[in-house]
C-alpha cells in the first residue's frame, strides 16, 4: 500500500516538474524580423556597428551582417566597395517591417 502511494506521488511530482519546465524558456525570437529591437526601438547605426563588426575594422562585410542588412546589402552599400561603413548605415532605408513613422536612429 505504501509503495502505490509513493509511486503516485512520484509520478505526480515528475509530471508537475515537466509541465513547469516546458513553459520556462523565454522566446528570444519574438521580435526578430519585424523591425523591432530592444523593446520596440530601432537600433542606432552605432549599435549595429558595434554588435556586428566582429573583426572591429569599423566596417561591415556581407558575411558579418544579419537580417535586413544582409537582405539589402547591395542597396545599402552605396559606394559598392563590398563593405558598409557608419555613414551608409545612417543613410540606409528603414526595414520593411518598421513602422512608417519610425526611422532608424543615428
Amino acid at each position: 500500500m505504501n509503495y502505490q502511494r509513493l509511486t503516485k506521488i512520484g509520478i505526480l511530482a515528475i509530471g508537475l516538474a515537466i509541465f513547469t519546465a516546458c513553459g520556462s524558456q523565454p522566446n528570444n525570437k519574438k521580435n526578430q524580423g519585424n523591425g523591432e529591437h530592444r523593446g520596440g526601438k530601432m537600433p542606432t547605426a552605432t549599435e549595429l556597428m558595434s554588435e556586428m563588426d566582429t573583426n572591429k575594422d569599423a566596417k561591415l562585410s556581407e558575411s558579418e551582417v544579419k537580417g535586413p542588412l544582409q537582405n539589402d546589402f547591395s542597396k545599402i552599400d552605396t559606394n559598392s566597395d563590398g563593405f558598409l561603413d557608419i555613414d551608409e548605415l545612417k543613410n540606409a532605408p528603414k526595414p520593411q517591417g518598421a513602422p512608417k513613422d519610425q526611422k532608424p536612429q543615428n
Side-chain angles (χ1 to χ4, degrees):
M1 187 181 228
N2 280 340
Y3 290 115
Q4 287 179 335
R5 189 175 212 187
L6 287 175
T7 303
K8 287 180 184 179
I9 292 172
I11 291 172
L12 217 81
I14 291 171
L16 183 61
I18 291 172
F19 180 74
T20 304
C22 289
S24 65
Q25 295 289 330
N27 187 357
N28 292 332
K29 295 183 179 184
K30 183 169 59 175
N31 291 332
Q32 289 181 355
N34 63 0
E36 293 183 7
H37 185 77
R38 290 187 189 96
K41 294 183 181 179
M42 294 291 294
T44 66
T46 305
E47 289 172 338
L48 287 171
M49 185 65 74
S50 75
E51 288 176 18
M52 294 187 187
D53 188 16
T54 56
N55 62 0
K56 305 298 180 203
D57 63 352
K59 55 188 177 181
L60 301 174
S61 68
E62 193 167 3
S63 64
E64 288 177 301
V65 297
K66 297 177 180 91
L69 286 179
Q70 190 173 37
N71 298 338
D72 296 329
F73 190 89
S74 60
K75 292 178 189 174
I76 300 168
D77 183 18
T78 54
N79 63 5
S80 301
D81 67 350
F83 297 97
L84 302 179
D85 60 32
I86 194 75
D87 291 329
E88 289 171 319
L89 288 176
K90 287 179 180 179
N91 296 317
K94 64 183 175 188
Q96 290 282 33
K100 291 181 181 179
D101 61 338
Q102 185 176 11
K103 294 181 181 180
Q105 300 171 358
N106 297 326

